[in-house]
Amino acid sequence: MFAREGADVAVNDLNAEAAAATAEEVHLVGVKALPVQADVASPTETQNMVAKALAELGRIDILVNNAGFGDYKPFTEITEEAWDRMLSVHLKGNFNCTKAVLGDMMARGSGAIVNISSLAGTTGTPFHVHYSAAKGGIIGLTKALAKEVARNGIRVNAVAPGWIDTPLGQFARDYFGERTGRSQVLRPPLRITGTPEDIAAACTYLASDEARYVTGQVISPNGGSWI
């Protein structure tokens, strides 16, 4: 969606083949596309990723912090290692990527950062406590950083999706259905299923000039869900 709006795109993934496949789709739209493999929990790998993007694309106007994963289990079964990894990828990863691009944005006096949180970060989700904690932390980071860098012409916002039609979303539905005995437990009031395109549209808006007066906000495409 960013490519269709004319943006050159650097695509990061732990899986190099997945990054390359997505970059090829972007390239077919007619813009530059750079696949990069990096673990955002690693400051060194993140800095190398950003250096490659700057060398290839020249500048970074937009950062979308969307690395993440799910891990459903009761709180009593969450190990210290699982807790640390969850926060390292989601919250520390957000910190690493933002810090790597922010200096250049501040020097130019412009930039847009979009952080992917979750409905779990605004309401909390049972059997997903470490994920909810990490996503809630992203919202706090978003609001605080937005106030700090507004004077530099940089906007920072968050998108907090509800249940989306992805493999992870289907796993969540099955998991909660089994735990609660209600197959429709995750069906939102709008009675439609969210798609990745719904989230891409929110991200594209927040990164665009149409959102020039929007910062420190959390948009939650969730079909009217609440807990």
Side-chain angles (χ1 to χ4, degrees):
M1 194 170 288
F2 276 92
R4 288 197 295 270
E5 294 294 328
D8 297 329
V9 182
V11 181
N12 175 59
D13 200 301
L14 272 176
N15 183 325
E17 292 183 357
T22 301
E24 179 59 26
E25 291 184 32
V26 171
H27 181 70
L28 292 174
V29 177
V31 299
K32 290 183 180 179
L34 173 68
V36 187
Q37 182 183 27
D39 181 351
V40 298
S42 166
T44 300
E45 291 189 31
T46 302
Q47 290 164 6
N48 290 339
M49 171 186 71
V50 171
K52 291 178 182 178
L54 287 171
E56 180 72 20
L57 305 179
R59 58 190 281 179
I60 297 176
D61 298 298
I62 301 163
L63 169 66
V64 179
N65 282 306
N66 68 331
F69 68 100
D71 180 31
Y72 291 89
K73 55 171 60 75
F75 179 76
T76 54
E77 296 178 12
I78 298 175
T79 64
E80 182 179 356
E81 292 76 16
W83 177 273
D84 289 346
R85 181 59 179 168
M86 183 66 71
L87 267 68
S88 290
V89 171
H90 291 87
L91 192 52
K92 185 180 179 183
N94 193 301
F95 167 82
N96 287 338
C97 292
T98 301
K99 193 169 184 180
V101 306
L102 196 59
D104 183 61
M105 287 184 175
M106 293 176 72
R108 290 186 288 104
S110 65
I113 298 172
V114 181
N115 300 321
I116 303 302
S117 179
S118 169
L119 188 63
T122 64
T123 65
T125 303
F127 310 113
H128 221 186
V129 173
H130 48 348
Y131 181 88
S132 298
K135 291 301 193 181
I138 288 173
I139 291 175
L141 183 155
T142 297
K143 291 181 175 292
L145 186 62
K147 293 179 179 179
E148 184 171 324
V149 301
R151 67 184 67 185
N152 302 103
I154 300 167
R155 297 182 299 102
V156 188
N157 292 287
V159 176
W163 301 104
I164 304 300
D165 187 16
T166 64
L168 178 61
Q170 185 57 55
F171 177 83
R173 288 180 175 85
D174 294 343
Y175 186 94
F176 280 95
E178 180 180 342
R179 290 275 174 170
T180 64
R182 292 180 293 164
S183 61
Q184 299 299 316
V185 66
L186 303 179
R187 191 172 181 84
L190 278 181
R191 303 183 66 79
I192 57 176
T193 301
T195 68
E197 287 74 18
D198 294 318
I199 308 310
C203 292
T204 305
Y205 163 70
L206 289 173
S208 72
D209 291 339
E210 282 76 12
R212 69 182 188 90
Y213 199 49
V214 179
T215 195
Q217 302 303 305
V218 181
I219 294 179
S220 183
N222 61 50
S225 298
W226 59 82
I227 296 178

